[in-house]
Amino acid sequence: MSEAVLRRDTIVAIATAVVPQQGSVGIVRLSGDEAMAIAKRLFQAPGKQPWQTHRILYGTIRHPETSALVDEALLLLMVAPRSYTREDVVEFHCHGGMMVVQQVLQLCLEAGARLAHPGEFTLRAFLNGRIDLTQAESIADLVGAQSQAASQAALAGVQGRLAQPIRQLRDRCLDILAEIEARVDFEEDLPPLDEGTVVEDLAAVLREIEGIEATASQGELLRTGLKVVIVGRPNVGKSSLLNAWSRSDRAIVTDLPGTTRDVVESQLVVGGIPVQVLDTAGIRQTSDRIEQMGVERSRQALEAADLVLFVLDAGSGWTGEDEAIYQRVCDRPLITIWNKCDLVASPPSLPYPQSPILTAAAQQQGIEALEAAILEKANAQDIETANVDFCINQRQGAALTRAKSALERVQDTISAQLPLDFWTIDLREGIQALGEITGEEITESVLDRIFSRFCIGK
């Protein structure tokens, strides 16, 4: 999609989730030069309500040719440049549900608007200079945040807390480049370059880049969370553990082994980290075809897990079935749990060196210790309480790595006493990589890749 096309035509999309029989309000959003004209064709505002920017009008949406009533609604007007996209933006605030918003969307399309691409409203905001690329990506993170900590980190990005230090680093590199190129072009008219100052400035920039890079692991945890799989032989209390942990009855609990026949999923937040917990069917040899399918799905879930919770029955102790499961999971990040500890005087010993977590799931005991162990395994103990200014994502981290490598090559060039022209080659590459983070230097293909992950209405 070219910038010229994006700035000329008028786009439309449903900006709220459409769920049958749920949601009291549905929003259809228009952006572009014809947004106001289309709104005037479809919306009738009784009385003398002024069509002015940042005003809400009350009225009805009608078919422009038949005058058939579509909905009683509100209309929000935002005239350029005081809008999200810096274009004329109009929002129809309709009754929620599926039919009304779909009808309004269709009327807008018939009136000349084009259906927006995923993320195109935010892309226009970026292209029109309202936000930079880090803010655009943070908007997507904010929409998809699964925990309060993730929401706060994304909001910090929306407010520009990542863009500011990146721009400062890039400006410092540009200043260094200007000093070097001035000596290349006007060597006879300027005093010699202070090599020591350049070396110190580069070292300071590299230190700050490393500090920003260190937020990548936190950012990945906050955005994607952890996938945790509960495994163990049948009837050790896996489902009871999930129910106690999630404070719900997601899984059926009985005294019969093999009760869980499929993978049961629960979404939790532990220490600010989104955690997808999968309770699996007990892994064992069985002739029951349905249970065999459940065991196979358990093995598939195990392969995709970030962390395995290996549950054992404290009353039964270590068994041959436990040993077989352990051999399957021992090479994975693992937390061992002795469950049903309320039924024994002391938990049995393990045949391998690991400090187990002691739980009595039926009594909801040991859950806090389990969560602490999970955060320790994920190196995420401080995320919930940390004052997170920002967390970089994978794309930003890759660009920072390229910038860091380029600036380190500049240091090597200086150490080798090569001519000043050689200094500028890698310095320009570092500047370009930093510019890719905020969008000062970016390609259309990268923009397409970033914004294609957005929802249609954003």
Side-chain angles (χ1 to χ4, degrees):
M1 62 183 78
S2 69
E3 182 175 338
V5 170
L6 284 170
R7 290 186 173 182
R8 286 176 183 168
D9 58 0
T10 298
I11 56 174
V12 64
I14 298 172
T16 49
V18 178
V19 182
Q21 300 178 347
Q22 296 185 30
S24 60
V25 177
I27 298 175
V28 177
R29 177 180 293 149
L30 286 157
S31 180
D33 292 343
E34 297 299 315
M36 195 73 69
I38 291 172
K40 288 183 177 180
R41 287 189 64 193
L42 305 181
F43 192 83
Q44 296 183 7
K48 297 181 180 180
Q49 302 177 67
W51 286 66
Q52 297 175 352
T53 187
H54 292 77
R55 293 290 298 267
I56 297 177
L57 307 182
Y58 161 78
T60 56
I61 302 171
R62 294 181 179 272
H63 194 287
E65 296 177 1
T66 66
S67 296
L69 178 65
V70 176
D71 194 22
E72 183 180 18
L74 299 177
L75 188 72
L76 175 59
L77 309 173
M78 290 167 280
V79 176
R82 295 175 57 200
S83 71
Y84 181 65
T85 61
R86 280 194 173 165
E87 302 173 336
D88 288 348
V89 171
V90 172
E91 290 183 352
F92 295 95
H93 289 233
C94 316
H95 287 91
M98 295 185 65
M99 292 309 301
V100 170
V101 290
Q102 290 290 351
Q103 289 180 72
V104 174
L105 175 65
Q106 185 60 36
L107 288 177
C108 291
L109 293 173
E110 292 173 0
R114 170 178 62 79
L115 188 63
H117 297 295
E120 191 169 351
F121 290 94
T122 303
L123 176 55
R124 291 188 177 205
F126 165 71
L127 292 174
N128 292 331
R130 188 187 181 285
I131 57 175
D132 66 37
L133 205 52
T134 66
Q135 291 173 300
E137 290 176 296
S138 295
I139 289 169
D141 290 338
L142 186 60
V143 172
Q146 302 176 58
S147 69
Q148 183 176 348
S151 175
Q152 290 300 311
L155 191 58
V158 171
Q159 293 173 335
R161 293 185 194 171
L162 172 58
Q164 182 178 359
I166 295 297
R167 283 203 184 93
Q168 289 174 346
L169 291 174
R170 186 169 182 269
D171 287 345
R172 287 161 66 180
C173 289
L174 284 169
D175 289 342
I176 296 172
L177 179 62
E179 288 290 327
I180 297 171
E181 289 187 329
R183 267 63 181 192
V184 173
D185 296 334
F186 308 104
E187 183 177 7
E188 296 178 356
D189 301 324
L190 295 172
L193 182 67
D194 188 341
E195 183 177 312
T197 299
V198 173
V199 170
E200 290 177 4
D201 289 345
L202 285 173
V205 169
L206 282 167
R207 283 194 299 271
E208 292 190 37
I209 288 177
E210 289 171 355
I212 297 172
E213 274 187 316
T215 69
S217 59
Q218 272 193 342
E220 186 67 16
L221 273 175
L222 288 173
R223 291 181 187 94
T224 64
L226 290 173
K227 181 175 287 188
V228 176
V229 172
I230 305 174
V231 301
R233 58 187 172 84
N235 212 32
V236 296
K238 299 185 299 298
S239 296
S240 296
L241 180 65
L242 174 61
N243 289 342
W245 192 4
S246 62
R247 295 174 178 83
S248 69
D249 293 326
R250 296 297 303 276
I252 298 173
V253 178
T254 74
D255 293 331
L256 298 175
T259 301
T260 301
R261 300 299 184 95
D262 202 351
V263 175
V264 179
E265 179 181 333
S266 189
Q267 299 288 342
L268 305 175
V269 176
V270 177
I273 304 300
V275 177
Q276 179 187 22
V277 186
L278 304 176
D279 172 27
T280 63
I283 298 177
R284 66 169 179 173
Q285 297 295 326
T286 177
S287 58
D288 185 319
R289 178 57 183 157
I290 296 178
E291 189 176 353
Q292 286 176 356
M293 294 173 65
V295 170
E296 180 57 34
R297 291 188 181 185
S298 298
R299 290 171 176 155
Q300 293 172 0
L302 181 60
E303 293 301 318
D306 299 311
L307 179 63
V308 177
L309 305 184
F310 181 24
V311 183
L312 305 168
D313 186 338
S316 302
W318 187 264
T319 68
E321 288 180 287
D322 294 326
E323 177 66 29
I325 297 171
Y326 174 70
Q327 292 303 322
R328 182 179 291 274
V329 302
C330 61
D331 61 340
R332 309 299 302 275
L334 183 68
I335 294 175
T336 303
I337 301 168
W338 279 119
N339 192 33
K340 305 183 182 181
C341 287
D342 56 324
L343 304 180
V344 298
S346 61
S349 59
L350 289 172
Y352 56 91
Q354 188 175 110
S355 299
I357 302 300
L358 308 182
T359 66
Q363 310 302 323
Q364 296 194 337
Q365 296 175 7
I367 302 302
E368 290 184 3
L370 174 59
E371 291 186 343
I374 290 172
L375 292 176
E376 184 177 357
K377 278 285 185 182
N379 295 318
Q381 300 95 318
D382 301 326
I383 283 184
E384 189 171 43
T385 57
N387 182 16
V388 181
D389 283 335
F390 53 79
C391 291
I392 62 172
N393 61 27
Q394 188 176 36
R395 182 195 73 84
Q396 295 159 356
L400 274 177
T401 299
R402 293 200 307 275
K404 179 181 174 182
S405 297
L407 296 181
E408 287 174 341
R409 290 196 298 273
V410 176
Q411 289 180 320
D412 294 339
T413 301
I414 295 173
S415 297
Q417 295 296 303
L418 294 175
L420 295 181
D421 302 68
F422 289 84
W423 299 20
T424 64
I425 297 171
D426 292 315
L427 188 53
R428 285 197 188 94
E429 184 177 335
I431 291 168
Q432 179 177 352
L434 291 172
E436 288 177 8
I437 297 175
T438 53
E440 275 93 349
E441 302 191 45
I442 199 71
T443 64
E444 186 174 326
S445 61
V446 172
L447 289 180
D448 284 343
R449 189 164 64 250
I450 291 171
F451 288 97
S452 65
R453 295 193 289 265
F454 280 60
C455 60
I456 294 289
K458 201 63 180 176

